[in-house]
Amino acid sequence: MANPNLKSPLTAILSGVGEIFRQGETITPLPPSFRLDGKQCLITGANSGLGFALAVDLAKRGAKVWMACRRQIPEAGNQVAKISGSNLVEMIHLDLIDLASVDRCCEELKAKNVQIDLLFNNAAAALPASRFTKQGLEEMCQVNYLAMFYLTNQLLEKGIIPNQTYAQNGLVEPNEVPRIIFISSDTHRSSKDIDIDALGYETYDFRTAVQFYGYYKIVMNTYASELAQRLRTAEKIDVSVHTICPGPVNTNIIKEAPWLVRMLMKLLFLLFFRSPSKAAKPVVYLAAAPELNQQTDRYLHYITKKAMDERCKNPEIRQKLWEKSSALLAAAFAKKA
Ligand SMILES: NC(=O)c1ccc[n+]([C@@H]2O[C@H](COP(=O)([O-])OP(=O)(O)OC[C@H]3O[C@@H](n4cnc5c(N)ncnc54)[C@H](OP(=O)(O)O)[C@@H]3O)[C@@H](O)[C@H]2O)c1
């Protein structure tokens, strides 16, 4: 059911503040003593905000952390290593504006024989107006959804995330199946329905940008839910897929907003939004909690258990979205050749 309160930057922020005080069935984050030694994690957009905090948290727990970023290489990685005290932090270049960069990132991981246990699809942009990538696709659609669809599917198809469904290399213990975590937003509830035909080419301006930010989250959630379905059989889960809205977090997500709006929002962020390290805790829970070993397709709103918008579960839309996303990628690669 669409929530009309999330349709402008201000109402989205006020709704986010209200969410901090909302009650519901909650999870208990993992204690700092919970270890992830031997696990390999890949986090997109890990040089800033929530992604950076996640990198620190996972590194402190002993995991090997791959920070997939488009800039601040190696400074952001050095900072994570310093704060966490870990020597298991690596950076890898990934710019989701360029699909060839996704290919290079996967090839590098494959060449290094990396096996990812935990993937965090975290990177996203909040643009003030639509613009187009060199592949001819609208940028927020590509960065916040399509390149992530491509990256995730490539990691699965190449067996970089071990799995039986696509790569036949996933013979792991049932309690150690890889997990894929999508960082979403409850703004997906306010979104219009998915327009399969227009996907990739819709335009927006400052007045409608927040709606399109939420729109690409409902698109992403729909893909995440379909992926969860494809990565399981009636008998077993091959790879778990979970989705989370971290709630309002004091990060750099509004860095492209006009100056005055940015200053006003930054003040609200500082006063009311939670810190990235606090917001990272339920994300780590989704990625590692033993009680989720036999579960997939869970949705959290910060620490509260919820269902994602019911429209994400429509099997016909899910199928059509997958086909359209594959077709958009094929067209983008054909154009490039
Ligand atoms: N902050 C909130 O209140 C809030 C609420 C709900 C959901 N979220 C979600 O939380 C996630 C993390 O965002 P954040 O709040 O931590 O914001 P952030 O500080 O701006 O972090 C976003 C990350 O995504 C990266 N990114 C953007 N475009 C990219 C591209 N083309 N290629 C590769 N990386 C790219 C950014 O890299 P650069 O530094 O190079 O731009 C940055 O590392 C996002 O999915 C966001 O939608 C945030």
Side-chain angles (χ1 to χ4, degrees):
M1 177 81 75
N3 173 358
N5 289 330
L6 301 175
K7 287 198 170 172
S8 78
L10 189 62
T11 53
I13 286 179
L14 293 176
S15 173
V17 171
E19 277 302 330
I20 293 175
F21 303 104
R22 187 166 294 181
Q23 300 297 313
E25 195 191 340
T26 57
I27 57 104
T28 306
L30 300 170
S33 57
F34 187 93
R35 301 292 300 170
L36 288 170
D37 302 289
K39 296 282 182 196
Q40 296 213 51
C41 311
L42 181 68
I43 311 167
T44 66
N47 57 302
S48 169
L50 180 63
F52 183 90
L54 268 173
V56 170
D57 190 310
L58 297 163
K60 276 184 181 168
R61 295 175 190 275
K64 168 131 190 175
V65 177
W66 293 86
M67 299 168 64
C69 306
R70 62 175 168 175
R71 60 191 187 90
Q72 296 181 309
I73 300 173
E75 305 86 70
N78 291 343
Q79 252 184 300
V80 170
K82 194 171 168 195
I83 298 168
S84 65
S86 167
N87 59 0
L88 296 174
V89 180
E90 300 244 8
M91 292 198 81
I92 185 162
H93 186 263
L94 175 69
D95 188 347
L96 297 165
I97 288 174
D98 182 6
L99 296 172
S101 171
V102 177
D103 278 333
R104 285 192 294 273
C105 176
C106 292
E107 278 157 21
E108 194 179 330
L109 292 169
K110 185 81 187 160
K112 290 179 172 163
N113 283 321
V114 175
Q115 297 268 276
I116 296 297
D117 301 288
L118 308 172
L119 167 65
F120 298 86
N121 279 316
N122 165 76
L127 302 186
S130 48
R131 55 192 190 213
F132 287 81
T133 67
K134 67 178 178 189
Q135 270 104 21
L137 294 157
E138 197 288 308
E139 186 177 319
M140 197 150 68
C141 176
Q142 182 168 321
V143 171
N144 295 12
Y145 169 62
L146 196 63
M148 183 192 308
F149 171 94
Y150 184 53
L151 172 71
T152 308
N153 291 0
Q154 284 295 297
L155 292 171
L156 288 163
E157 282 169 26
K158 291 181 188 301
I160 299 166
I161 298 173
N163 69 97
Q164 288 297 107
T165 313
Y166 297 104
Q168 290 79 46
N169 70 340
L171 294 171
V172 292
E173 293 298 314
N175 61 354
E176 292 200 339
V177 300
R179 296 190 196 181
I180 299 172
I181 310 300
F182 288 87
I183 308 300
S184 185
S185 164
D186 242 38
T187 56
H188 80 275
R189 295 184 200 284
S190 67
S191 169
K192 66 183 181 119
D193 293 347
I194 297 177
D195 183 344
I196 298 287
D197 293 335
L199 191 73
Y201 302 105
E202 283 177 274
T203 55
Y204 49 87
D205 59 21
F206 181 67
R207 288 162 303 171
T208 51
V210 171
Q211 292 168 39
F212 271 85
Y213 172 80
Y215 179 63
Y216 292 118
K217 293 298 189 187
I218 199 171
V219 171
M220 186 188 81
N221 288 8
T222 305
Y223 160 60
S225 195
E226 173 65 15
L227 184 67
Q229 177 92 357
R230 291 182 184 221
L231 289 169
R232 70 173 304 168
T233 60
E235 293 77 41
K236 74 183 259 295
I237 295 166
D238 193 13
V239 177
S240 297
V241 180
H242 302 299
T243 308
I244 180 167
C245 168
V249 196
N250 182 13
T251 67
N252 295 316
I253 193 74
I254 49 155
K255 59 180 171 285
E256 292 219 38
W259 183 84
L260 193 60
V261 178
R262 206 167 64 238
M263 290 305 118
L264 181 67
M265 286 165 89
K266 211 50 201 158
L267 184 67
L268 289 169
F269 272 43
L270 260 173
L271 289 175
F272 297 111
F273 282 27
R274 62 179 64 93
S275 69
S277 57
K278 198 167 178 199
K281 294 193 185 318
V283 184
V284 175
Y285 165 90
L286 266 191
E291 67 211 53
L292 296 185
N293 277 347
Q294 311 302 325
Q295 297 187 36
T296 191
D297 206 9
R298 294 284 166 257
Y299 181 80
L300 282 183
H301 186 170
Y302 185 48
I303 57 169
T304 306
K305 293 180 188 174
K306 278 191 185 177
M308 59 173 81
D309 190 295
E310 66 203 16
R311 290 173 292 168
C312 306
K313 307 288 173 184
N314 181 319
E316 194 188 329
I317 296 291
R318 281 165 33 157
Q319 178 66 24
K320 282 188 178 162
L321 177 63
W322 195 290
E323 286 165 9
K324 176 70 185 223
S325 306
S326 306
L328 283 174
L329 288 172
F333 281 114
K335 204 169 171 181
K336 214 181 66 179

